[in-house]
Amino acid sequence: MKIEKKVLDMSLAGIFTAIIIAMSVVPFLGYIPLGFMNATIIHVPVIIGAIILGPKYGAYLGLVFGVTSLVKATIAPGVTSFVFSPFVTIGGYSGNMWSAVIAIVPRVCIGIVAYYVYKLIMKVAHGIKGSQTVALWVAGIAGAMTNTLLVMNGIYIFFGQSYAAASNKAVEHLYDVILGIILGFGVPEAIVAGLLNPAITKVLFKIMKNNG
């Protein structure tokens, strides 16, 4: 049974990997261009995969997301893509090793945070009707906001002045811009993740239970 579960987990991880890669390369499927940056929903399969398969697979799927983000920023750069790729120079502003950190580390953390938030709520609310739906909803929001908060604050800390210049924003008001992006795009992304996570994950749990 352990071998069968391991094979099933690896197969599911492969499927989630393929979904993440497809979302990263198909226009408007995973990334929504906003001019100076992209909104994304690629964190959703990372969150779902982490909750179903565990934090190690969640970290792996987040890594896949992060690497695809770095690759996309490199081969199809926008005005601020240097914050996601050390290989990009736009208008005299260049990426560096912190670009790779911003592209990858927050995405690795998505699944880990979502998994443990889900498990914590399930443990605290054990036996309460509807607790799984609530746990999945909150975990989806937590995973998405982990991505947004770490990415945007990483940009502010490591690329504040160059990001402000590249996006034509005043440096002294840059964090207002960062907060605007977090609230204007990060919160809607989190709401979408919160809605999709229970809707999809509960179905997958049921399928796995019936096949187990």
Side-chain angles (χ1 to χ4, degrees):
M1 290 297 292
K2 287 185 177 181
I3 294 177
E4 290 180 0
K5 185 180 184 307
K6 186 174 182 179
V7 172
L8 176 60
D9 287 353
M10 291 178 66
S11 299
L12 287 172
I15 293 171
F16 282 118
T17 300
I19 291 171
I20 292 168
I21 293 173
M23 292 179 75
S24 71
V25 298
V26 176
F28 301 101
L29 182 59
Y31 289 102
I32 303 170
L34 303 176
F36 60 94
M37 64 177 300
N38 295 313
T40 183
I41 57 169
I42 302 180
H43 50 267
V44 174
V46 177
I47 293 166
I48 295 170
I51 292 172
I52 291 176
L53 301 173
K56 290 182 180 180
Y57 278 108
Y60 158 72
L61 293 172
L63 175 63
V64 174
F65 175 16
V67 171
T68 62
S69 175
L70 190 155
V71 171
K72 181 178 177 61
T74 303
I75 64 177
V79 294
T80 59
S81 290
F82 61 89
V83 302
F84 294 110
S85 172
F87 311 109
V88 169
T89 298
I90 301 290
Y93 304 107
S94 300
N96 55 43
M97 68 172 185
W98 293 114
S99 307
V101 171
I102 292 171
I104 294 173
V105 172
R107 281 62 190 268
V108 171
C109 294
I110 292 171
I112 297 172
V113 170
Y115 174 84
Y116 284 110
V117 167
Y118 170 73
K119 286 296 184 180
L120 176 62
I121 295 175
M122 289 296 289
K123 183 177 181 180
V124 172
H126 179 70
I128 299 176
K129 186 178 180 180
S131 59
Q132 186 181 54
T133 299
V134 172
L136 290 169
W137 178 68
V138 176
I141 292 174
M145 289 307 296
T146 295
N147 178 51
T148 301
L149 291 172
L150 291 180
V151 167
M152 296 313 302
N153 282 286
I155 291 172
Y156 178 75
I157 292 169
F158 299 115
F159 292 98
Q161 291 188 346
S162 54
Y163 181 81
S167 54
N168 294 315
K169 306 296 181 182
V171 174
E172 59 268 25
H173 299 300
L174 178 59
Y175 204 76
D176 293 335
V177 175
I178 297 293
L179 285 175
I181 294 171
I182 291 171
L183 295 175
F185 299 102
V187 171
E189 286 177 359
I191 292 172
V192 170
L195 293 173
L196 291 178
N197 190 35
I200 298 172
T201 306
K202 289 177 73 173
V203 172
L204 293 176
F205 273 145
K206 187 175 182 180
I207 293 172
M208 292 176 69
K209 183 178 180 181
N210 291 338
N211 292 334

